[in-house]
Amino acid sequence: MEAGGASTTTTRKRKAAALEGHPAPAPVAAATDPGMGEDDGGGSGENRQDLDRLSSLPDAILGEIISLLPTKQGARTRILVSRWRHLWCSTPLNLDCRHLACTWHELPALMHRIINAHQGPGRRFCTPELLYTINDIDAVEACLLSPALARLEELKLNSWRRQPLPELVFRFSDTLVVFRIEQCSLPDATVHRFHFPRLQRLELVHSSITECSLHSMIAGCPSLEFLLISRCSGPRCLRINSLVLRSVTVSNFTLGAPMLDEIVIESAPCLESLFHLDQDRDLRVSVIFAPKFETLGCTNSTRLLFGSMDIQGSRTIKCLAQTMPTLSLDMVIGLMRSFPCLEKLYIQCNTSRKNNNVWRRKYRDLLRSLDIRLKIMVLKYYSGRKPDVDFVTFFVLNARQLESMTLMVQTDDIDEDFLAKQHHKLQLEKRASHGAQFHFTAERRHEFGYKLSF
């Protein structure tokens, strides 16, 4: 459909140009044909320039574009035309070892070969997803010692086999902007040296650290804006005092070890979002000072306190991502009462079979006073059964400011018959907001909370 639409648009432009007495614009190709010869990037003729406008960009801009591509795709740009051959070797290196096509025992040599052959600075280094032996870790450390990575901005140490954080990462203390640490041991003596003044994003995954060291690590990152703590053992309480932190994401599931069960936001004037992603894992969140706190991702096990009041009195929350075990209209109405300025609502639930979401008599009096300000709503795992239909029709018939509702369906059979039946069941012709758009999709995501938090 998109290709047909583009063709129709081009035809209309040509007709309009002909009517006005102007020549019709020539179509522009999406990419240069690799088999068009050894001509330099701009081409010698007018037609060639139309076909390859991307190559007419300066080297500096092309280098930035190539550095954003995955390693394999970035290297392949060398085969396009001679104009591109030198670019990948001189652009900032984006080396993601997780996507290299080789066996695991060939990987160390390949990493060294790429780094040694590259003439540009190293910007991003992501280690292999699985490090099978200590020798693999030694190979990664040897890469980190390379002069080519001296100005590294993004480092992801994946699957570090619970080994201590290597001391050599501190050589990047003045340059790192993004740092991911996975399956690593973070002893107090090492964390004491943790000082990365430019670091903006810190991700701690499946690692062990003491509560004191966790706070020391955060304090050592004065520019930190995004913090992820996923399934780390050791700390029980996280206290946030930061002038620049904007987003916190927590997954606090651990097996047989102390887990994070409390977050206290003491002073965070720039904090905008907080996500708790583990259902059935209790987390107590106390908010003392966070005037810009607008986005909350929570589960049925998240207990939120603003000041001294339990989940009451917050007029700053405008976006809510809620994971619940079963779809419950009662729970959602309770949330709208607690967050009276709510505009965006994302719901993920496993089932709706146990709940009765019939609402017409039950909430007849409430609807006279309840101010529903929702503009955007997304429901994952919509089944089309009666509890789901009753839940959705509540908002179809009563949300007067609704702009968009997306229903992520548990089937791939979204055809015209399915859509016609849902249109009738949900009474879309009677919608309270005449401009509201309704979308059905079979798109699946493991946790859209993760997507929102990043």
Side-chain angles (χ1 to χ4, degrees):
M1 293 177 63
E2 292 179 359
S7 176
T8 302
T9 302
T10 303
T11 302
R12 288 175 179 171
K13 288 182 177 179
R14 289 177 177 174
K15 289 181 178 179
L19 290 174
E20 294 174 2
H22 300 294
V28 179
T32 304
D33 185 349
M36 293 188 70
E38 296 297 322
D39 196 63
D40 62 8
S44 58
E46 184 177 335
N47 292 336
R48 182 56 184 274
Q49 289 179 352
D50 285 339
L51 290 173
D52 189 16
R53 293 182 179 179
L54 187 61
S55 288
S56 65
L57 294 173
D59 283 5
I61 296 178
L62 287 174
E64 287 296 319
I65 295 173
I66 294 173
S67 71
L68 298 175
L69 296 173
T71 308
K72 186 187 299 185
Q73 283 76 7
R76 283 177 174 174
T77 60
R78 302 178 65 188
I79 68 173
L80 293 178
V81 286
S82 59
R83 167 80 167 80
W84 291 72
R85 285 180 180 173
H86 73 283
L87 290 174
W88 185 77
C89 287
S90 59
T91 60
L93 177 62
N94 174 11
L95 179 52
D96 191 338
C97 298
R98 299 173 301 174
H99 302 149
L100 297 179
C102 64
T103 61
W104 69 268
H105 61 272
E106 296 173 334
L107 190 56
L110 181 58
M111 289 189 300
H112 285 286
R113 190 158 66 247
I114 293 175
I115 292 174
N116 292 334
H118 201 84
Q119 300 170 5
R123 172 177 291 174
R124 179 175 182 265
F125 182 45
C126 184
T127 65
E129 199 153 35
L130 292 175
L131 299 173
Y132 292 95
T133 67
I134 298 299
N135 291 334
D136 296 333
I137 291 181
D138 292 341
V140 170
E141 291 186 342
C143 290
L144 292 175
L145 286 170
S146 170
L149 301 184
R151 304 295 297 173
L152 202 62
E153 296 181 6
E154 182 173 344
L155 173 61
K156 296 190 176 184
L157 295 175
N158 295 301
S159 302
W160 205 244
R161 296 176 55 85
R162 296 288 177 178
Q163 296 296 312
L165 184 72
E167 294 280 338
L168 59 88
V169 300
F170 297 118
R171 72 186 290 246
F172 310 118
S173 60
D174 293 333
T175 60
L176 271 192
V177 177
V178 177
F179 195 4
R180 178 184 176 92
I181 304 171
E182 183 175 346
Q183 291 190 19
C184 187
S185 173
L186 296 162
D188 293 345
T190 301
V191 174
H192 181 71
R193 296 183 54 197
F194 204 91
H195 181 64
F196 292 84
R198 294 188 59 204
L199 196 68
Q200 296 177 11
R201 182 186 293 272
L202 175 63
E203 303 175 9
L204 304 178
V205 182
H206 286 290
S207 297
S208 58
I209 186 172
T210 65
E211 188 172 307
C212 180
S213 288
L214 176 60
H215 292 125
S216 175
M217 179 178 285
I218 296 172
C221 306
S223 301
L224 190 65
E225 296 183 5
F226 301 91
L227 173 65
L228 167 69
I229 302 176
S230 179
R231 305 191 174 191
C232 292
S233 60
R236 301 295 297 268
C237 177
L238 171 62
R239 294 185 176 273
I240 296 176
N241 289 278
S242 171
L243 295 176
V244 295
L245 193 63
R246 293 172 50 197
S247 177
V248 176
T249 301
V250 172
S251 176
N252 61 334
F253 173 81
T254 56
L255 285 174
M259 67 178 182
L260 190 67
D261 55 21
E262 183 178 14
I263 297 179
V264 181
I265 304 173
E266 294 182 344
S267 179
C270 293
L271 187 69
E272 299 172 358
S273 61
L274 185 144
F275 291 88
H276 174 216
L277 302 176
D278 277 311
Q279 191 169 310
D280 301 322
R281 294 289 167 176
D282 294 341
L283 181 68
R284 176 188 171 110
V285 180
S286 301
V287 182
I288 298 174
F289 182 71
K292 295 184 178 180
F293 186 23
E294 292 188 351
T295 302
L296 172 66
C298 60
T299 74
N300 57 304
S301 300
T302 310
R303 185 183 175 190
L304 187 65
L305 294 92
F306 285 88
S308 60
M309 302 186 68
D310 189 358
I311 203 167
Q312 293 289 335
S314 173
R315 305 189 69 86
T316 65
I317 300 296
K318 295 182 179 180
C319 178
L320 176 66
Q322 173 76 41
T323 300
M324 56 182 69
T326 183
L327 188 61
S328 171
L329 182 59
D330 293 342
M331 180 182 292
V332 173
I333 288 178
L335 291 169
M336 289 193 297
R337 284 172 162 173
S338 300
F339 305 121
C341 297
L342 198 61
E343 296 180 357
K344 300 178 182 180
L345 179 60
Y346 301 81
I347 299 175
Q348 174 175 288
C349 63
N350 298 325
T351 182
S352 60
R353 293 180 180 178
K354 298 180 180 179
N355 269 9
N356 180 353
N357 289 321
V358 175
W359 53 271
R360 283 173 175 79
R361 291 186 179 180
K362 185 176 183 179
Y363 291 119
R364 182 169 48 194
D365 295 333
L366 174 67
L367 287 171
R368 297 172 183 170
S369 59
L370 183 64
D371 185 13
I372 303 176
R373 300 189 181 185
L374 286 179
K375 296 180 179 179
I376 296 176
M377 188 172 179
V378 177
L379 174 60
K380 185 176 182 181
Y381 297 144
Y382 175 79
S383 67
R385 292 188 292 265
K386 189 176 187 304
D388 290 22
V389 171
D390 289 336
F391 180 92
V392 173
T393 53
F394 175 85
F395 297 97
V396 171
L397 301 179
N398 297 293
R400 299 182 181 279
Q401 300 183 42
L402 190 66
E403 298 174 359
S404 171
M405 179 183 290
T406 301
L407 302 177
M408 302 172 73
V409 185
Q410 293 179 290
T411 177
D412 292 326
D413 300 326
I414 303 180
D415 53 20
E416 292 184 2
D417 183 58
F418 172 85
L419 294 176
K421 289 180 179 178
Q422 295 305 313
H423 189 283
H424 175 71
K425 287 182 178 181
L426 298 175
Q427 305 178 56
L428 298 187
E429 70 281 357
K430 299 180 182 179
R431 53 193 165 196
S433 173
H434 296 295
Q437 300 292 317
F438 295 85
H439 310 280
F440 293 84
T441 175
E443 180 183 8
R444 292 183 175 89
R445 295 190 184 275
H446 174 62
E447 287 276 4
F448 59 55
Y450 281 104
K451 178 188 176 186
L452 289 171
S453 64
F454 287 96

